[in-house]
Amino acid sequence: KNQVEQSPQSLIILEGKNCTLQCNYTVSPFSNLRWYKQDTGRGPVSLTIMTFSENTKSNGRYTATLDADTKQSSLHITASQLSDSASYICVVSRDGGSQGNLIFGKGTKLSVKP
Amino acid sequence: DTGVSQDPRHKITKRGQNVTFRCDPISEHNRLYWYRQTLGQGPEFLTYFQNEAQLEKSRLLSDRFSAERPKGSFSTLEIQRTEQGDSAMYLCASSPIGRPQDIQYFGAGTRLSVL
């Protein structure tokens, strides 16, 4: 079954600290993996997108990694800010799949406290 | 504003009523998607248009749901005879045609509450 599992479900950290969010997937065949940030009451916003051959990709303080062998990805946030408080959703696309074959994780809810 | 626009932002309705949501994609984006998101869950795919053609519908899209994109620009999603289980955030996204790694740009969503 094609699934995307994220951990932890929720996380609370202090402002300025780093954190790492995890994403494990069983989607096959794999095409690409995306991380989205979703503020409360808003639509998701794309942070990174990685294909099979990419191991890491950065977007400012966000760095995503991908291990296609173990089917794991992580999103590392450096020097967290209050505005990083949001849900972070991992999305995996199936190769050759239709547009309906974006498999979404349930997200990790991050709270950054002052 | 050049982002994806959705209207209304919030809709409260009574069970059994019909509701219609509108999505205006980013200009010149050929692809338009509808998703449903419930609390604590990721978005679930409902349907997808390429220009005016509805190319795919999820099994989640029951007979009570219908989506249109008549001129290949804005789209509407109608839910007939709403049920309490329809309460959710309905997200619209658009993307340009081309690369398989196209990033979907999401609107802010329409939150539906069925009483």
Side-chain angles (χ1 to χ4, degrees), chain A residues 83-101:
Chain A
S83 59
D84 293 331
S85 296
S87 285
Y88 291 84
I89 303 174
C90 176
V91 185
V92 179
S93 176
R94 292 181 65 204
D95 187 25
S98 65
Q99 294 305 312
N101 278 342

Side-chain angles (χ1 to χ4, degrees), chain A residues 68-83:
Chain A
D69 292 330
T70 62
K71 298 186 177 181
Q72 295 179 326
S73 176
S74 66
L75 180 69
H76 186 75
I77 304 175
T78 304
S80 61
Q81 300 176 358
L82 298 179
S83 59

Side-chain angles (χ1 to χ4, degrees), chain A residues 9 31-32 34 36 38 41-46 48-49 51 89 93 98-107, chain B residues 9 31 33 35 37 40-45 48 56 89 91 95 100-109 111:
Chain A
Q9 199 171 45
S31 175
N32 61 71
R34 316 158 188 217
Y36 280 88
Q38 185 173 24
R42 309 293 297 181
V45 174
S46 177
T48 64
I49 181 168
T51 58
I89 303 174
S93 176
S98 65
Q99 294 305 312
N101 278 342
L102 288 181
I103 314 298
F104 287 77
K106 293 182 179 181
Chain B
R9 289 294 312 279
R31 295 176 172 171
Y33 315 80
Y35 293 88
Q37 186 177 26
Q41 303 293 317
E44 297 172 295
F45 171 78
Y48 146 65
E56 189 175 348
M89 173 78 87
L91 293 166
S95 69
Q101 297 93 336
D102 287 337
I103 296 172
Q104 295 181 19
Y105 296 83
F106 284 83
R111 181 167 294 284

Side-chain angles (χ1 to χ4, degrees), chain B residues 28-83:
Chain B
E28 299 176 356
H29 275 193
N30 304 86
R31 295 176 172 171
L32 186 148
Y33 315 80
W34 284 100
Y35 293 88
R36 182 174 69 187
Q37 186 177 26
T38 53
L39 203 61
Q41 303 293 317
E44 297 172 295
F45 171 78
L46 292 178
T47 189
Y48 146 65
F49 291 85
Q50 183 162 299
N51 299 314
E52 66 275 8
Q54 188 174 18
L55 297 187
E56 189 175 348
K57 293 195 295 185
S58 162
R59 289 174 296 175
L60 293 174
L61 212 66
S62 75
D63 292 344
R64 297 184 297 104
F65 288 69
S66 63
E68 295 182 344
R69 194 184 184 196
K71 298 181 181 178
S73 55
F74 74 91
S75 174
T76 58
L77 177 68
E78 181 183 16
I79 308 174
Q80 295 181 326
R81 305 181 303 281
T82 53
E83 302 173 356

Side-chain angles (χ1 to χ4, degrees), chain B residues 4-7 21-25 32 34 73-76 92-93:
Chain B
V4 177
S5 177
Q6 292 189 245
D7 182 70
F21 310 142
R22 176 181 171 122
C23 172
D24 287 89
L32 186 148
W34 284 100
S73 55
F74 74 91
S75 174
T76 58
C92 176

